[in-house]
Amino acid sequence: MAEYQLYCFAQSGNAYRVALMLNLVGADWEPLFVDFFNGETRTSEYREKVNEMGEAPVLIHGDKKLTQSATSLIYLAERYGKYLPRGDDERLEALRWIIFDNQKIGGTMGPYRFLRNFAKPRGDPAVLEFLKGRIAGALAIFDKRLARAPFLLGNEPTIADVSLTSYLYYPADEYGFDLTAEHKNIAAWLERMKALPGWVHPYDLMPGYPLPA
Ligand SMILES: N[C@@H](CCC(=O)N[C@@H](CS)C(=O)NCC(=O)O)C(=O)O
C-alpha cells in the first residue's frame, strides 16, 4: 500500500490541487476513485466514513484524514518543506490567494464546467451566463497579479500556485472559451507550472477519464 491515499476523480479540479502537490513533492501515493457522477459523495456511507462534508478530495495519511484541498496543501508543504511560503507575510499572502481560488476561481469554474458538460439536465443558460461573468472577472484579477512576477508570491512557486492550477488545465471546449488566449499572463504561468518536475495533466493523473458514454 502506498504511503498516501487520495479520494479523487479526474474531472475534479479541487482534487487536482492535492494530486498535483503529491506528485510535485515526490510522495508515494495512490488514488482512490470517487464515483462522483453516480452520486457517491451524496451517499450516507461516504458522509459517515469518508467525509462528513460530502466532498472530494480527501487525503489519507496513516490515521490522518484531511479534507479541504487547502488543508492538504499546507500539510504536505510542511511535511516535505517544499512549496512552502516563507515567513508570516508570505504565509498570509498564500492563504489569501488560496481562499480567492476556492471561492472565485475554482469555486466558479468547477460548477460552470459541471453544469455545462456533466449535469443532467444541463445547467440553465442564465445560471451559466452569470457564472461565466464571475469567472471572467476573477481570471482578470489573477492575470493582472501574474504580471508582477513569474509566480504568485515571486520567483518561486508555492502552494498558492499549486492551488490555482485547479481548473485551469481542462480543455477549452469544456468551457466554451480559451482562457489562455484571453489571459496571456495566466497562459505563461500555466507553462511554467507545467515545467515543474512531477507535473501531470489532471486527466492523466487521476482515475475516471473519459467518462463512460
Ligand atoms: N473547497 C473544497 C471544495 C471541494 C469540492 O467542492 N469538491 C467537489 C468535487 S470537485 C465535491 O465533492 N462536491 C460535492 C458537493 O458540493 O456536493 C476543496 O478545495 O477541497
Side-chain angles (χ1 to χ4, degrees), residues 9 12-14 17 36 41 47 54-57 68-70 102 167:
F9 58 99
S12 170
N14 290 305
R17 301 186 182 105
F36 180 81
T41 53
R47 290 174 182 207
E55 293 179 342
Q68 294 298 333
S69 57
N102 272 244
Y167 281 90

Side-chain angles (χ1 to χ4, degrees), residues 188-205:
W189 169 86
L190 284 170
E191 290 305 311
R192 286 191 283 277
M193 292 301 288
K194 218 171 178 175
L196 298 173
W199 182 90
V200 177
H201 189 278
Y203 280 155
D204 298 321
L205 189 57

